[in-house]
Amino acid sequence: LAANKSSMTKIKSSVEAKDVDALATAMNGTTKVTLRNMNLGIKDMKNIATALHGNTTITSLNLVSNNISDDGAKEIATALGTNKSITTLNLVRNNIGDGGALVLATMLVENETLTDI
């Protein structure tokens, strides 16, 4: 993983469990995270969600074109239930169906920080 103050780029093909601490540390030094077109699986989404739970610096999360499906959307929704810094979330082209959309909508009732989804 490589990070700077304005963006983060993933080098590996997946976010492994051993990377969660490094991901969380990198996320604390940035405001925007972009993980596009990376074919992230549910294990990746769980690790990303874990790193997001306690983060207070990220304001923008871009997960475009990762095919995260309903299960990935549920992981992100759970993380955003506790994360109060993210204001922008991009989930375009992720094969999210009614189940994932419902979980995200339910999360929005509680999360007053997220303003652009």
Side-chain angles (χ1 to χ4, degrees), residues 2 7 9-10 12 14 16 18 21 24 27 31 37 39 43-44 49 58 60 65 67 69 80 84 95 103 110 114 117:
S7 68
T9 305
K10 191 172 107 176
K12 295 182 180 183
S14 67
E16 298 173 7
K18 65 184 171 111
D21 288 337
M27 286 180 166
T31 59
N37 300 309
N39 199 31
K43 185 177 174 183
D44 301 319
I58 294 173
S60 177
S65 297
N67 198 32
S69 72
L80 293 178
K84 301 302 180 198
N95 196 29
V103 173
E110 299 296 321
L114 189 59
I117 184 169

Side-chain angles (χ1 to χ4, degrees), residues 7-75:
S7 68
M8 188 167 99
T9 305
K10 191 172 107 176
I11 296 171
K12 295 182 180 183
S13 60
S14 67
V15 179
E16 298 173 7
K18 65 184 171 111
D19 295 329
V20 173
D21 288 337
L23 181 61
T25 300
M27 286 180 166
N28 280 328
T30 189
T31 59
K32 296 180 183 179
V33 173
T34 299
L35 300 170
R36 296 180 62 162
N37 300 309
M38 302 183 83
N39 199 31
L40 299 172
I42 188 60
K43 185 177 174 183
D44 301 319
M45 294 309 299
K46 286 181 179 185
N47 290 334
I48 291 166
T50 298
L52 287 173
H53 277 289
N55 182 278
T56 59
T57 61
I58 294 173
T59 59
S60 177
L61 179 60
N62 183 338
L63 296 171
V64 169
S65 297
N66 280 298
N67 198 32
I68 68 170
S69 72
D70 288 349
D71 291 335
K74 291 173 185 174
E75 293 297 329

